[in-house]
Amino acid sequence: MYPSQPVAPEGPRHAAPQVAQGAHPGQPPRMMNMNTGGKYSAIASFVTYVKALEALDPRSFPDEYAEHTDRIRELKPFLRAHGILDVMEIKNPEVAALIGV
């Protein structure tokens, strides 16, 4: 017979969550990384930019507003390629006009 193996005490069997530099524990990440390999999901990016665009006043922040609209336009091919625009309705008419749906 083999000697019995020592038993590890019960407890969490996963590593502690890593906190990004400059972030605080329990704070949600600024951008969700949905894919492996370090590339961001087109859907998560789209939602992030649309929410930021809706919160901006184009007269007060014209540069940021233009940047967000450019990013939303750039995401259209990715959304179309994944079939997202076939199954999702864009409720914001300004955003719908940006991506031409």
Side-chain angles (χ1 to χ4, degrees):
M1 293 294 267
Y2 295 103
S4 60
Q5 298 291 325
V7 177
E10 288 297 318
R13 296 183 181 194
H14 54 80
Q18 300 295 317
V19 177
Q21 184 177 10
H24 300 286
Q27 180 183 19
R30 291 183 57 148
M31 180 73 73
M32 292 178 54
N33 186 353
M34 303 288 283
N35 295 335
T36 57
K39 295 190 178 184
Y40 293 105
S41 165
I43 299 168
S45 296
F46 177 75
V47 170
T48 300
Y49 283 118
V50 168
K51 291 292 186 184
L53 184 76
E54 291 175 340
L56 281 175
D57 178 18
R59 292 178 300 271
S60 299
F61 303 99
D63 294 336
E64 290 85 354
Y65 193 85
E67 183 179 334
H68 291 337
T69 57
D70 289 345
R71 298 296 170 264
I72 290 170
R73 282 189 200 108
E74 290 172 359
L75 289 169
K76 180 183 177 181
F78 299 105
L79 298 172
R80 179 119 11 240
H82 292 293
I84 301 303
L85 299 178
D86 297 332
V87 298
M88 185 172 86
E89 179 183 346
I90 308 298
K91 293 182 179 181
N92 184 323
E94 185 178 352
V95 173
L98 279 174
I99 59 175
V101 294

